[in-house]
Amino acid sequence: MDVLNAAGKPMAALRTNIVTGSECGDQQPYVLIDSQPMQALAEPGVADQAVPRYVFEGRGDFTAAKASPPTIASYGITMMPEVTGPTSCPMFQLFLWPPSGALFGQVYDPATNTTPGDPGLPYLEKAKLYATTAEYQDVKKMITSLRPAGAAVSEPAK
């Protein structure tokens, strides 16, 4: 499922039946822009795994003018533990969703995501500015409202 804004630009994508599992290759400089635990997506009886959480995170060259591997920013749901240092493994924004896994998020793109400020700023700086917008807050609210079928939706504690 693709979620588009009123202008038809992609804001998020939901993909299911994705195989989850990753290996940590080369680590990159890391920035966490936003994070929120999503306890409602925790798999019952799976106590040894991190609770899924919504993240908006970036990796790569903090001076790069645009996204180009390995410089990328993305928002979505992950089941990876929070990064504790200045570098991180490649992004893994997948989470358990029976029968296997799912993805619900999007790569940040200043051409798609309405971003305030100087268009000449480095890409990851633009991503940080995007997190201050009403559009971003709407996208985050939509993604964090995901629940398994039959689960109640409640607002997170403020």
Side-chain angles (χ1 to χ4, degrees), residues 63-84:
T63 64
K66 60 183 183 174
S68 178
T71 302
I72 195 78
S74 182
Y75 49 83
I77 303 170
T78 186
M79 58 186 227
M80 299 304 290
E82 258 188 87
V83 176
T84 58

Side-chain angles (χ1 to χ4, degrees), residues 23-43:
E23 292 184 21
C24 184
D26 293 333
Q27 294 205 0
Q28 297 293 324
Y30 173 79
V31 61
L32 179 64
I33 300 168
D34 195 2
S35 179
Q36 176 181 322
M38 295 185 62
Q39 189 66 43
L41 297 183
E43 285 287 307

Side-chain angles (χ1 to χ4, degrees), residues 100-144:
S100 58
L103 173 149
F104 193 20
Q106 188 76 16
V107 171
Y108 165 72
D109 179 354
T112 300
N113 303 103
T114 306
T115 306
D118 179 355
L121 287 172
Y123 170 77
L124 291 173
E125 287 301 314
K126 291 179 200 172
K128 290 178 191 177
L129 285 174
Y130 179 63
T132 68
T133 68
E135 178 182 280
Y136 171 76
Q137 293 304 317
D138 288 345
V139 169
K140 177 182 175 182
K141 185 175 182 178
M142 175 205 40
I143 292 172
T144 59

